[in-house]
Amino acid sequence: MTEQELAVDAVRRLNRAGIAYLLTGSMASNYWGIPRTTHDLDFVVQLPLQSIPSLLHEFWDDFYLDEPAVRAALAPPYQFNAIDRRSALKIDFWMLRSNPFEMSMFDRRLSVNLLGERTWIATAEDVILHKLYWDLLTPSERQINDAAGVVAVQSDSLDRAYMQRWAGELGVSEKLSKLLAGEIKPKST
């Protein structure tokens, strides 16, 4: 199973379970920017306690998903994962937290056709901001390159005022300015 096939499979399962989600991380940057290979998927989920059985039911057959870990994700660090038994690829599920940026990102998510499946995905602007924020927490050339790839592809259509407002609050204004000015370019693959 490829990363793309796993993404479609996971999206179908989340849609059937009625779980509110958004696809983020490298798959979202692949959608909006310059694609690269990845070995995991990232979803932000809005998962009330009463929806946990639906999630577990949808993923039980082909995934290792630990119910106590899912329930524990309702508290810090607000994360759990599922391992696909068919491919050994990992899906990281991040619980939607009530911080203003995450709420804005979730509210702005878009419904797109991703490989033939209706998928809720983070906007290009939010992917860039999220990548820059993760780079601030854990510096990684990969995060910056992903963000630069989205800027390179989406440059003219980006809501720069929105990004600049959030960049200040997230502490990533300097890197965003460099990206938007073309000082940081995506690496060729």
Side-chain angles (χ1 to χ4, degrees):
M1 175 164 285
T2 67
E3 296 93 354
Q4 293 84 3
E5 291 167 333
L6 180 61
V8 169
D9 184 44
V11 163
R12 284 183 183 144
R13 291 169 191 260
L14 289 167
N15 287 339
R16 281 194 309 255
I19 305 296
Y21 69 91
L22 71 83
L23 178 64
T24 189
S26 56
M27 270 308 224
S29 65
N30 285 351
Y31 181 85
W32 294 113
I34 299 171
R36 69 168 172 87
T37 58
T38 182
H39 298 298
D40 69 352
L41 300 175
D42 294 290
F43 288 93
V44 174
V45 293
Q46 191 173 41
L47 190 63
L49 190 58
Q50 66 269 22
S51 295
I52 291 175
S54 294
L55 177 90
L56 293 169
H57 174 75
E58 282 300 329
F59 283 84
W60 76 270
D61 56 350
D62 293 318
F63 292 85
Y64 174 75
L65 182 60
D66 184 57
E67 181 175 354
V70 174
R71 292 185 182 282
L74 297 171
Y78 302 107
Q79 188 267 342
F80 65 94
N81 56 49
I83 307 297
D84 178 42
R85 290 183 173 120
R86 301 158 294 181
S87 66
L89 294 171
K90 181 176 68 144
I91 302 174
D92 290 322
F93 292 98
W94 302 89
M95 304 298 272
L96 177 62
R97 297 178 306 156
S98 61
N99 80 48
F101 175 68
E102 285 189 29
M103 297 300 290
S104 174
M105 184 170 71
F106 204 80
D107 289 343
R108 288 172 36 90
R109 67 195 168 129
L110 298 173
S111 178
V112 301
N113 181 333
L114 180 72
L115 304 169
E117 195 66 33
R118 184 186 76 96
T119 304
W120 290 99
I121 192 167
T123 65
E125 294 88 355
D126 289 324
V127 170
I128 293 164
L129 291 165
H130 202 242
K131 292 282 183 180
L132 293 178
Y133 182 69
W134 272 100
D135 178 67
L136 181 68
L137 298 177
T138 308
S140 165
E141 203 171 300
R142 182 174 286 171
Q143 301 289 352
I144 296 300
N145 195 55
D146 285 350
V150 175
V151 170
V153 173
Q154 301 295 327
S155 180
D156 294 338
S157 64
L158 294 171
D159 182 343
R160 291 170 184 251
Y162 172 84
M163 290 193 305
Q164 288 166 343
R165 179 173 63 89
W166 279 111
E169 293 190 35
L170 296 171
V172 297
S173 294
E174 184 178 335
K175 279 216 174 135
L176 178 64
S177 294
K178 288 181 178 181
L179 277 173
L180 295 177
E183 295 174 30
I184 299 175
K185 297 186 182 310
K187 290 198 171 31
S188 300
T189 56

